[in-house]
Amino acid sequence: MSTTYNEAAPAAPEAPTNSTARVATASIVGTAIEFYDFYIYATAAALVIGPVFFPQSSGTAQMLASFLTFGIAFIARPLGSALFGHFGDRIGRKSTLVASLLLMGVCTTLIGLLPGYDSIGAWAPILLCVLRFGQGLGLGGEWGGAALLATENAPKGKRAWFGMFPQLGPSIGFLAANGLFLILAMSLNDEQFRSWGWRIPFILSAALVMVGLYARLKLHETPVFANAVAKEAPVKVPLFELFSQHWLPVLLGALSMVVCYALFYITTAFSLSYGVSTLGYSRETFLGLLCFAVLFMGLATPLAALASDRWGRRPVLIVGAVLAILSGFTMEPLLTHGSTWAVALFLALELFLMGVTFAPMGAMLPELFPTRVRYTGASAAYNLGGIVGASAAPFFATKLVAMGGLSYVGGYVSAAALLSLIAVLCLKETRDNDLNKVA
């Protein structure tokens, strides 16, 4: 039985609260920076990582090796969710979020400074994999904490709207990352870009991390966590309690996330590589198309959050998953249509659906778990979904397109959406769940 603190003592003073503007800023800025860091690697993996770190391989082998290093971080993310979730559920959300941001930022900056294979031989890809693993650890603890920061500060009836703040971060981070790569592609020739230009976005991460740290260090602890600690001792090992008592919500939450990851990384990392190498688009043209398309993801995010607060998480996610299943059948006809507008339409459609299916998760995943294991649980569900939906998505898509063409890749997207649809149908509605429930 858990210990109750100070039963005879007078009530503790009310914990200080965070303003809506401060919560929104810290949630958006933090996840935007974290996802900026992650997306610049996805873009670099599609364009330059192979030749710089695996030059001894063929072009196809370079691309596959590059996408495998991309996947390493997704393997690390569940470990990061366990590590940072442990401390987030024991010592608080604020300090844990600061630590996850620091780890992600340091690893990203060091990737930008890492010598290539021509300089240090086999140590280059080895160190690259180590730093990618560190990136994954940091991001594994980032999203869950940011989502809890938002939802545990939300007023009644607006948890999805507040949970939208960290969900907007990816759109902003992606736009910043691809926008910067677009500027570099337009300003540098191929030799300059491959030699040193691709490193600039990674090195600039150091300055962006300082902005995020400033925003988060100004925060107070969330009132839900502060109240929980005042009532009951934190659980000693959150991970053990999570998987012994709450394994089903973890599993269903993870599977419900698969469609988000598949939509995003097939649309961005794989489509960028395919568009440049096979469809014949220049880097700057396709990056410009992606920057246009991600605006639709940003548009869908607040719309889906509002709908989720009004009608519930499940209805929005069910509609999004069904549309995503159908969207897989549009991949081949739109990408092979031969016109730029058809490619833009496909990218915009997929990223819009990414926003629809992603926005409610900011509220739903935290709502699946009690306070004492919420950081660990939400992070674990979010990041375990990444292993299925994203870690090998660009790799398998490259294999599938070689086997049967783009229709096979579209089938991959539809299958991922179907898996998430089944998971959501197995979940109960969480909109009215009490976040102050400790255990």
Side-chain angles (χ1 to χ4, degrees):
M1 182 178 294
S2 58
T3 305
T4 303
Y5 287 137
N6 302 324
E7 291 182 352
E14 186 176 346
T17 58
N18 298 299
S19 68
T20 300
R22 182 170 292 177
V23 170
T25 301
S27 299
I28 293 174
V29 169
T31 54
I33 292 171
E34 294 279 1
F35 279 88
Y36 164 87
D37 288 354
F38 222 66
Y39 295 163
I40 58 176
Y41 192 92
T43 304
L47 298 176
V48 76
I49 291 296
V52 172
F53 291 94
F54 305 95
Q56 74 279 21
S57 306
S58 67
T60 301
Q62 286 178 4
M63 186 59 63
L64 290 174
S66 177
F67 282 145
L68 280 176
T69 63
F70 174 78
I72 286 172
F74 286 94
I75 304 301
R77 282 168 64 162
L79 300 177
S81 68
L83 174 66
F84 289 102
H86 176 86
F87 292 105
D89 283 326
R90 284 192 56 78
I91 66 175
R93 314 328 191 186
K94 173 185 170 179
S95 56
T96 308
L97 274 170
V98 169
S100 68
L101 183 63
L102 268 176
L103 177 60
M104 181 76 174
V106 168
C107 289
T108 303
T109 303
L110 290 177
I111 288 175
L113 300 172
L114 183 63
Y117 189 93
D118 291 342
S119 299
I120 59 174
W123 280 107
I126 291 172
L127 291 174
L128 177 66
C129 290
V130 170
L131 292 174
R132 278 295 290 161
F133 193 85
Q135 273 192 317
L137 284 179
L139 190 56
E142 163 58 29
W143 181 88
L148 266 59
L149 170 67
T151 56
E152 290 186 347
N153 279 287
K156 185 177 180 180
K158 292 188 176 181
R159 279 206 299 259
W161 181 254
F162 271 59
M164 172 202 68
F165 297 149
Q167 309 304 75
L168 279 174
S171 299
I172 297 169
F174 177 80
L175 192 61
N178 263 22
L180 183 52
F181 269 108
L182 176 59
I183 292 171
L184 291 172
M186 295 174 65
S187 306
L188 305 176
N189 59 40
D190 281 347
E191 182 180 353
Q192 291 171 324
F193 182 80
R194 290 177 181 270
S195 175
W196 54 268
W198 68 271
R199 299 178 181 274
I200 292 175
F202 289 87
I203 296 171
L204 285 178
S205 173
L208 297 176
V209 167
M210 299 305 294
V211 176
L213 288 175
Y214 176 79
R216 289 187 169 175
L217 287 170
K218 292 286 186 179
L219 290 169
H220 303 295
E221 188 53 78
T222 71
V224 171
F225 180 80
N227 291 337
V229 171
K231 295 176 182 177
E232 188 175 52
V235 61
K236 289 185 178 180
V237 186
L239 189 66
F240 291 169
E241 179 169 319
L242 178 71
F243 283 100
S244 65
Q245 300 181 28
H246 308 283
W247 63 269
L248 185 57
V250 172
L251 175 62
L252 295 177
L255 293 177
S256 68
M257 278 296 306
V258 169
V259 61
C260 305
Y261 285 113
L263 282 169
F264 186 82
Y265 287 103
I266 292 296
T267 306
T268 55
F270 168 76
S271 294
L272 173 60
S273 173
Y274 188 84
V276 173
S277 64
T278 303
L279 298 180
Y281 286 92
S282 65
R283 278 198 310 268
E284 54 268 31
T285 298
F286 211 92
L287 288 170
L289 290 173
L290 284 171
C291 287
F292 166 77
V294 82
L295 297 176
F296 289 84
M297 178 177 160
L299 173 65
T301 302
L303 295 178
L306 286 170
S308 177
D309 272 335
R310 181 169 183 178
W311 291 298
R313 321 313 182 208
R314 290 178 79 250
V316 176
L317 292 173
I318 289 169
V319 170
V322 170
L323 293 176
I325 291 172
L326 298 176
S327 77
F329 295 96
T330 70
M331 186 173 196
E332 183 175 37
L334 288 178
L335 288 186
T336 60
H337 185 270
S339 61
T340 302
W341 71 261
V343 174
L345 177 61
F346 173 76
L347 298 177
L349 171 64
E350 297 299 270
L351 290 182
F352 182 86
L353 292 176
M354 162 62 178
V356 171
T357 55
F358 189 56
M361 294 296 177
M364 190 190 80
L365 292 185
E367 289 167 348
L368 290 173
F369 305 99
T371 303
R372 59 196 275 121
V373 296
R374 184 171 297 134
Y375 199 131
T376 305
S379 297
Y382 181 83
N383 292 296
L384 287 171
I387 293 180
V388 180
S391 62
F395 176 83
F396 282 129
T398 302
K399 287 285 191 181
L400 288 169
V401 78
M403 290 170 54
L406 285 175
S407 62
Y408 278 39
V409 183
Y412 182 96
V413 173
S414 296
L418 177 61
L419 189 62
S420 290
L421 175 62
I422 294 171
V424 172
L425 290 173
C426 292
L427 284 167
K428 295 180 180 179
E429 180 57 56
T430 62
R431 180 177 55 170
D432 298 321
N433 287 7
D434 182 11
L435 285 191
N436 286 296
K437 182 181 178 183
V438 176

